Amino acid sequence: MKKISENLGNNNGRLTIGGVDAVALAEKYGTPLYVMDEDLMASTAKAYTEAIEKAYGKGNGMILYASKAFCCLESCRFAKRNGLGLDVVSGGELYTALKAGFPVEKIYFHGNNKTKAELKMAMENGVGRVVVDNVTELENLGAAAAEARKTAKILFRIKPGIDAHTHNYVRTGAIDSKFGFALENGEAFEAAARAKEMKNIEIIGVHCHIGSQIFDIEPFEDAAEVMLRFMAEIKNKLGVTVKELNLGGGYGIKYVDGNDPVPYGDYIAKISVRVRKVCEKLGLSLPFILMEPGRSLVGPAGVTLYTIGGVKEIKGIRNYVSVDGGMTDNPRYALYKSDYTVVLADRVGEKPAGKYTVAGRCCESGDLIQEDVPLPEPKAGEILAVLATGAYNYSMAMNYNRVPRAPVVGLSGGVDRLWIKRESYDDLIKNDI
Ligand code: LLP
């Protein structure tokens, strides 16, 4: 397995992203700056699409981009250009997709507490599928569909009873989740029975999502089997044939050396073997298969560039290197203690001089990007890069301490293009009265 630093472009020790010099990008756009390598996103999308077609047959599967990982007009256009469907999880994500001209029939609307207004918006705009989370929502959706004189095509969000974590998983406890219908207590079956009776509702499929940043294949295979068994149950007991099986997202990526994701093709092929076998055993015809990656489509394509402010050496305790961003552009370390690889953009590969804790600029001790990373002696004014920040960074960014959100630049064919402008101070007060 290649080291993460070997995947980087490196021109005489200077970091390149998509063939473009990182320091030059920082000079042109300022820092903090998110950079997205669109060519890498496109090649990942292609690998996914080819793998699902190979595993299930042409036209019998679709990759949905889970837009929560990074949602903006340009990411929706990217999904459209690359033939992906889209998972949206709020009125805001749906609005962005519609404004980007995303084909509405390929939008899957998720969420555990969609408001009546959101359901109305989905119905009026002809959203392809609504993934129903609970019975109240089912009733509200029925009403919204009737009002819009439409039929809502639905999937049920199911808790398959498999709680996956990166290196281990347990089969208990998954019933204790705010998402979806449980199988164990019969609520999923009851919801299907209710939906079957509803006039403006058409049952199309079932959906599950077992977790995120997962490296094992087995939990995905097991989840697929549980879902197929539920499909067989509602076919046999209710006479309802479910056409779509959406297996969710969750494929892990390499943040640091030691994270070794399985290639997408292998993942998908292996799961498809189980899906086919179980279908045969249960007498089901092969459903249309959907997979919903977010992190793996955009995560590795992102790099965040910061300017180093100062370095604080607390003898015998710790060295801090302060950057001009932090938890406001990447709250993942503060929230989850997530691993990241950190490099100095103009001295990649130089021997480390010590360990440094990368600190953000918020009035918050926990505002750290990473603790104790090996770096050459950092200097004020240098560009520090954090790798694999394409997923759940911009989309989880915030304005704590009234820090304006950083801009996003996309790279394709070695050409840089602004996707999202830097927020201004006026943007910060635009809704203040
Ligand atoms: N589908 C559904 C229904 C989901 O809930 C998610 C992620 C995905 C697909 C995409 O999963 P992915 O392929 O990205 O793992 N903020 C957290 C991640 C939350 C994921 C929520 N759901 C983080 O920064 O790690």
Side-chain angles (χ1 to χ4, degrees):
M1 185 60 65
K2 267 207 300 190
K3 284 188 152 220
I4 190 164
S5 51
E6 290 169 43
N7 288 338
L8 290 177
N10 180 345
N11 184 8
N12 290 328
R14 282 172 76 100
L15 173 68
T16 59
I17 310 161
V20 181
D21 186 77
V23 175
L25 286 168
E27 274 163 13
K28 180 167 175 184
Y29 294 98
T31 56
L33 176 70
Y34 299 105
V35 183
M36 296 295 289
D37 180 349
E38 195 192 328
D39 296 340
L40 180 56
M41 288 161 57
S43 64
T44 309
K46 189 162 176 270
Y48 260 124
T49 306
E50 286 177 356
I52 203 163
E53 289 201 338
K54 191 165 167 219
Y56 297 102
K58 211 173 162 56
N60 202 38
M62 179 161 63
I63 300 294
L64 305 175
Y65 166 49
S67 70
K68 71 206 76 181
F70 173 55
C71 184
C72 67
L73 290 175
E74 205 48 52
S75 69
C76 293
R77 292 183 196 120
F78 151 79
K80 180 181 169 183
R81 271 199 300 279
N82 288 278
L84 309 176
L86 203 68
D87 148 2
V88 301
V89 76
S90 69
E93 287 184 355
L94 174 57
Y95 183 81
T96 309
L98 295 172
K99 284 285 174 187
F102 195 87
V104 72
E105 68 284 356
K106 286 167 78 175
I107 298 179
Y108 283 62
F109 193 7
H110 287 271
N112 69 304
N113 189 15
K114 304 173 195 74
T115 64
K116 286 184 181 174
E118 286 174 326
L119 294 171
K120 183 172 190 283
M121 180 180 177
M123 284 299 96
E124 284 175 353
N125 286 287
V127 157
R129 304 279 187 269
V130 178
V131 184
V132 173
D133 179 88
N134 57 74
V135 177
T136 311
E137 185 176 287
L138 181 63
E139 300 297 339
N140 289 342
L141 180 64
E147 203 180 315
R149 295 176 192 285
K150 299 218 170 120
T151 297
K153 298 188 160 131
I154 67 162
L155 278 72
F156 294 104
R157 166 92 188 230
I158 304 294
K159 303 182 214 186
I162 288 163
D163 186 8
H165 297 294
T166 304
H167 290 300
N168 66 345
Y169 69 98
V170 288
R171 284 152 204 260
T172 55
I175 192 169
D176 181 11
S177 159
K178 69 170 185 169
F179 298 105
F181 296 96
L183 293 173
E184 296 93 321
N185 59 8
E187 68 178 2
F189 182 80
E190 279 165 34
R194 169 69 188 125
K196 188 190 166 194
E197 305 306 322
M198 291 173 74
K199 250 182 87 191
N200 296 76
I201 298 286
E202 183 184 349
I203 301 172
I204 298 284
V206 289
H207 165 267
C208 67
H209 172 77
I210 56 171
S212 204
Q213 186 63 1
I214 302 166
F215 292 106
D216 298 334
I217 300 183
E218 207 185 335
F220 289 103
E221 294 174 307
D222 290 353
E225 174 153 358
V226 171
M227 298 297 281
L228 288 163
R229 288 187 183 284
F230 178 61
M231 286 163 65
E233 184 186 353
I234 55 179
K235 183 179 167 224
N236 297 337
K237 295 193 188 154
L238 296 174
V240 172
T241 300
V242 168
K243 299 194 248 329
E244 291 187 3
L245 172 58
N246 181 335
L247 294 170
Y251 316 101
I253 65 165
K254 192 181 196 78
Y255 283 107
V256 290
D257 294 327
N259 292 159
D260 293 325
V262 179
Y264 312 117
D266 297 358
Y267 242 129
I268 291 178
K270 193 135 190 265
I271 297 165
S272 77
V273 171
R274 177 81 77 93
V275 167
R276 286 179 186 278
K277 215 191 270 171
V278 176
C279 279
E280 207 172 301
K281 197 158 79 191
L282 300 174
L284 290 173
S285 42
L286 189 66
F288 186 84
I289 302 289
L290 297 124
M291 290 189 159
E292 233 165 34
R295 188 190 310 274
S296 49
L297 268 168
V298 292
V303 175
T304 309
L305 302 176
Y306 303 97
T307 303
I308 294 173
V311 181
K312 208 171 265 180
E313 293 183 6
I314 313 174
K315 284 258 171 318
I317 309 276
R318 196 200 265 272
N319 302 322
Y320 283 99
V321 49
S322 295
V323 295
D324 55 354
M327 66 188 287
T328 46
D329 56 81
N330 182 358
R332 296 191 70 255
Y333 189 77
L335 277 172
Y336 324 116
K337 290 263 180 289
S338 306
D339 289 332
Y340 281 102
T341 299
V342 180
V343 299
L344 296 182
D346 62 353
R347 289 193 277 153
V348 180
E350 197 176 302
K351 231 175 126 233
K355 287 193 171 164
Y356 295 84
T357 288
V358 183
R361 48 172 306 186
C362 282
C363 283
E364 185 83 37
S365 304
D367 175 16
L368 304 174
I369 293 283
Q370 205 63 206
E371 288 180 85
D372 296 326
V373 288
L375 287 175
E377 197 175 332
K379 297 188 188 74
E382 265 188 299
I383 303 300
L384 179 142
V386 179
L387 311 185
T389 57
Y392 305 111
N393 272 232
Y394 178 80
S395 64
M396 291 173 72
M398 58 175 148
N399 289 126
Y400 181 46
N401 289 172
R402 290 237 142 169
V403 174
R405 257 174 275 240
V408 182
V409 166
L411 303 175
S412 183
V415 178
D416 53 290
R417 188 162 56 88
L418 194 59
W419 286 1
I420 304 174
K421 286 193 286 194
R422 186 179 301 283
E423 263 179 348
S424 66
Y425 290 138
D426 277 338
D427 291 332
L428 294 175
I429 59 160
K430 73 172 185 284
N431 294 323
D432 292 15
I433 291 165

